[in-house]
Amino acid sequence: MILSGSASQTLAARIAEATGEPLGAAEVEYFPDGELNVEVTESIADRAIVVISTVSNDAHLEALLLQDAARQAGAKEVVTVVPYPGYARQNRKYRPGDIVSLRTVARALSPGTDRVITVNPHEADAEEMFEAPATAVDGSHRLAAPLPGDLTDPLFLGTDQQARPLAESVHNSYGTGTVDHLVPPAGSATAADLAPTEAAIDGRDVVFVDDFVATGGTMSTAARAATDAGAERVFATCVHPLLASGAWSKLLRAGVEDMYATDTLERIVSDVSVAPVIADAL
Ligand code: R5P
C-alpha cells in the first residue's frame, strides 16, 4: 500500500499506477497548536511504501509519523521513498561548528523503515548517511522527453562539473548533440564568469542541466551568459525544482524559453515523472 505525504501526492499516485499497489488513506492534519496528526485508518497486510519529499521541516516530521502509522496499521515492511531529501545542501561541514544536517535527518528517518529510496541526491554519499539500506535511483534520463524534437545542434551543458553526468544522461536520451559543463575561470568564483569548458555556443540551442534549481541564481546566470554568447534557444532542466525566491521568473527573464523538471517536487515545471524509475527499485 502506498501512503502519500502531503508534499508528494502526485508522485505517490503515479507510483501507485506504475506498481499496481493501492493508494492508502493517510490523513494528515494540524492540531490547533500547530502540531501534526497523522492517521492511517486501513489495515496494511504486507508492505507500506511511504512517499514523501522532505522539502520542509513539517514534511520531515510527517515522514516519521507516517512510518510509525504504517507499522501500527500492520505493515510488515516499510519502504520510505524520499524523492527529494531535504537538507540536501547541508551535506558538508562548511564552517567550524557546522554539522552535516543531511546525515542528521537521514539517521532520524532510518529506525522507522526497512529501506529507503531516493532520487539523484546532491550528495554522492547520501545512501551511506542512512542507517537503513538506501538506494539512490537516477531519473535524469527522463528529462529529455519533453524537449522539442527539433533542437539545432544542441549543446547539453552541466552547470558545473558535478552536473556533467546528468547532462550526459539527458544528451544520451535525446540522441543527438554534444555535452559540456561550465567552469568558472581560474581565480573566480562568480557565476557571471562561467564559460563552457570546450564547446562553442554561437548559433546552437543550449540545454542546461543541474540536479536542482533553488534560487535560480546559477541557472539564470548561465542562461544569460549563453544568450550573450549567441545561443539560439535556451532551455533549463533539473531533477529537483525547488524554485524558491522567485526563481521561475528569474529564469524566464534570463532568456530561458522553457524549463522541464521531475515530480520529486510538485511545481509548475514538474512535467517529467520519476515514478517508473522508483517503481523499478521497489
Ligand atoms: C550546486 O552544486 C547545485 O548543483 C546547484 O547548481 C545549485 O545549488 C542551485 O542553486 P541556485 O538555484 O540557488 O543557484
Side-chain angles (χ1 to χ4, degrees):
M1 181 179 288
I2 311 276
L3 298 176
S4 162
S6 338
S8 302
Q9 296 179 58
T10 307
L11 179 54
R14 289 172 177 161
I15 294 172
E17 199 178 340
T19 56
E21 299 242 11
L23 260 181
E27 302 290 333
V28 181
E29 54 185 27
Y30 284 87
F31 287 118
D33 63 1
E35 292 180 351
L36 275 168
N37 185 42
V38 166
E39 279 182 337
V40 174
T41 47
E42 296 165 89
S43 56
I44 302 175
D46 41 31
R47 72 172 172 175
I49 301 163
V50 173
V51 182
I52 181 163
S53 279
T54 47
V55 70
S56 66
N57 292 338
D58 278 6
H60 275 103
L61 203 57
E62 194 181 317
L64 299 178
L65 297 172
L66 279 168
Q67 290 175 334
D68 214 19
R71 289 273 186 225
Q72 186 179 280
K76 294 178 183 58
E77 182 191 18
V78 175
V79 183
T80 305
V81 178
V82 193
Y84 171 78
Y87 291 84
R89 287 191 293 180
Q90 293 188 36
N91 59 333
R92 294 270 190 283
K93 292 184 182 181
Y94 293 102
R95 293 169 304 187
D98 275 357
I99 61 163
V100 181
S101 309
L102 178 63
R103 178 178 289 121
T104 307
V105 296
R107 281 181 183 156
L109 282 170
S110 299
T113 195
D114 294 287
R115 60 191 181 107
V116 175
I117 296 173
T118 187
V119 181
N120 292 100
H122 183 64
E123 167 56 45
D125 293 329
E127 288 156 285
E128 280 73 46
M129 291 186 180
F130 291 91
E131 290 174 344
T135 308
V137 298
D138 178 14
S140 59
H141 58 284
R142 298 184 59 79
L143 291 168
L147 286 167
D150 60 350
L151 294 181
T152 304
D153 191 14
L155 174 59
F156 295 84
L157 269 179
T159 50
D160 58 18
Q161 191 161 17
Q162 196 185 344
R164 184 174 180 126
L166 302 176
E168 283 168 357
S169 168
V170 180
H171 162 251
N172 289 342
S173 283
Y174 191 77
T176 184
T178 52
V179 182
D180 207 335
H181 66 274
L182 299 174
V183 288
S188 169
T190 56
D193 291 333
L194 288 172
T197 55
E198 292 169 20
I201 284 182
D202 193 28
R204 306 179 70 177
D205 290 337
V206 174
V207 178
F208 285 107
V209 187
D210 206 345
D211 59 346
F212 60 91
V213 171
T215 65
T218 304
M219 196 72 97
S220 61
T221 304
R224 199 164 271 121
T227 306
D228 290 349
E232 286 292 322
R233 305 168 77 186
V234 177
F235 297 88
T237 65
C238 74
V239 178
H240 308 295
L242 276 162
L243 290 187
S245 312
W248 178 227
S249 43
K250 205 183 283 179
L251 292 173
L252 294 174
R253 284 161 48 88
V256 169
E257 183 173 319
D258 214 337
M259 178 175 182
Y260 308 107
T262 83
D263 53 2
T264 61
L265 296 166
E266 298 184 353
R267 300 287 189 270
I268 190 172
V269 296
S270 304
D271 296 318
V272 178
S273 185
V274 290
V277 183
I278 292 171
D280 284 347
L282 280 167

